[in-house]
Amino acid sequence: MSAAKNINITLKIWRQKDSKAKGNIETYTLKEVSTASSFLEMLDQLNEQLINERKEPIAFDHDCREGICGMCSLYINGRAHGPDTGITTCQLHMRMFNDGDTIFVEPWRSAAFPVIKDLVVDRGAFDRIQQAGGFVSVNTSGNTIEANTIPIKKEDADMSFMAAACIGCGACVASCKNGSAMLFVAAKVSQYALLPQGKIEATNRVLNMVRQMDEEGFGNCTNTGACEVECPKGISLENIARMNREYLKANIK
């Protein structure tokens, strides 16, 4: 890795006062940005500059800054999470850019993810899909079986863990030309469909989650694969095939 250096950049950032206001791209110049800093640290630097200029800082979402929560989601230069693979926005570093670059920064674009302010969108639709069936009810009768004593094929356990790696950032929706949430929903269905604990509620789970997904206004899946490419956790399209099988079985029962 080359030594850190400072670069000057031009930022074209989406500004929008609230969900009802008409937004627009505004241009900012930022100097002496360390290539060792993260993309969010660069936005922090910009906001400090705006505050010193007595201007309103840019609203953007973030929490853990460790690639776990997915809240930092941004559309950067036409790509979800920016010009790198297998990372969230907070894991993107300024060494991916060059001195003099112009960087476009936008929020997720989806009717189901309305803009709250600037770069912050409301991803409550994902929460409602989860609430519709992304859980396992626990029998608290006193006869509950210890999960670690239930034998599970390693292949199934591994695939379940890989599906459960989904952090719900919404990159799949932002990358899809149809604004589909199929990869997210499929991951949440798959992580339970592969385990014995999830079999009891399997029918209601997939029917309820797919119904809620449709009600939220997400588009249809046409298997272009953009969601898998841009997913920071590498969630596989195989999960969509599995969810389709689960959905078919549920409708036959």
Side-chain angles (χ1 to χ4, degrees):
M1 185 183 299
S2 59
K5 60 181 180 180
N6 290 338
I7 59 175
N8 302 327
I9 56 175
T10 299
L11 293 160
K12 292 186 176 291
I13 300 179
W14 183 262
R15 301 302 305 264
Q16 186 170 338
K17 185 176 181 180
D18 53 46
S19 59
K20 296 180 181 179
K22 183 178 180 179
N24 64 284
I25 293 287
E26 294 191 6
T27 303
Y28 304 94
T29 299
L30 193 59
K31 298 181 178 181
E32 300 297 311
V33 178
S34 172
T35 54
S37 63
S38 72
F39 197 85
L40 295 191
E41 288 171 335
M42 179 274 293
L43 290 180
D44 289 336
Q45 182 179 339
L46 174 61
N47 276 345
E48 288 180 8
Q49 176 177 301
L50 292 175
I51 291 170
N52 289 335
E53 295 172 354
R54 299 188 180 280
K55 296 178 181 178
E56 185 174 4
I58 296 161
F60 64 94
D61 235 340
H62 61 94
D63 190 3
C64 73
R65 298 200 180 202
E66 294 179 347
I68 298 172
C69 71
M71 289 182 67
C72 59
S73 307
L74 295 175
Y75 212 66
I76 304 166
N77 281 354
R79 287 189 64 181
H81 295 301
D84 207 344
T85 303
I87 60 158
T88 55
T89 298
C90 64
Q91 294 173 303
L92 177 67
H93 282 76
M94 296 308 296
R95 56 178 171 267
M96 297 297 297
F97 303 94
N98 299 310
D99 186 44
D101 276 359
T102 296
I103 305 171
F104 285 81
V105 188
E106 303 169 84
W108 283 168
R109 297 296 188 191
S110 171
F113 291 158
V115 173
I116 297 174
K117 183 177 181 180
D118 294 340
L119 303 176
V120 181
V121 300
D122 181 358
R123 284 175 294 172
F126 272 9
D127 294 331
R128 292 187 288 274
I129 292 172
Q130 279 276 78
Q131 292 162 5
F135 56 86
V136 174
S137 296
V138 178
N139 180 358
T140 56
S141 63
N143 298 316
T144 305
I145 300 175
E146 168 58 46
N148 291 331
T149 65
I150 302 173
I152 301 173
K153 292 182 180 178
K154 185 179 187 303
E155 181 183 2
D156 290 343
D158 288 345
M159 288 190 293
S160 178
F161 272 118
M162 286 189 285
C166 170
I167 57 177
C169 68
C172 50
V173 176
S175 304
C176 177
K177 64 180 182 180
N178 305 318
S180 173
M182 283 285 280
L183 191 65
F184 166 77
V185 179
K188 300 307 176 183
V189 168
S190 289
Q191 73 179 81
Y192 296 117
L194 289 160
L195 301 176
Q197 294 92 333
K199 301 297 184 185
I200 298 173
E201 296 167 310
T203 298
N204 289 335
R205 175 180 300 109
V206 68
L207 291 177
N208 290 342
M209 293 185 78
V210 170
R211 184 193 70 249
Q212 188 65 40
M213 174 182 67
D214 291 340
E215 289 178 359
E216 296 293 344
F218 291 104
N220 294 319
C221 174
T222 49
N223 290 309
T224 58
C227 55
E228 181 182 48
V229 172
E230 299 296 357
C231 175
K233 299 302 177 182
I235 304 299
S236 172
L237 286 176
E238 292 179 1
N239 290 296
I240 294 180
R242 183 177 298 105
M243 185 183 78
N244 286 337
R245 292 193 297 269
E246 291 291 316
Y247 188 75
L248 179 62
K249 287 191 296 182
N251 276 290
I252 292 174
K253 289 183 179 179

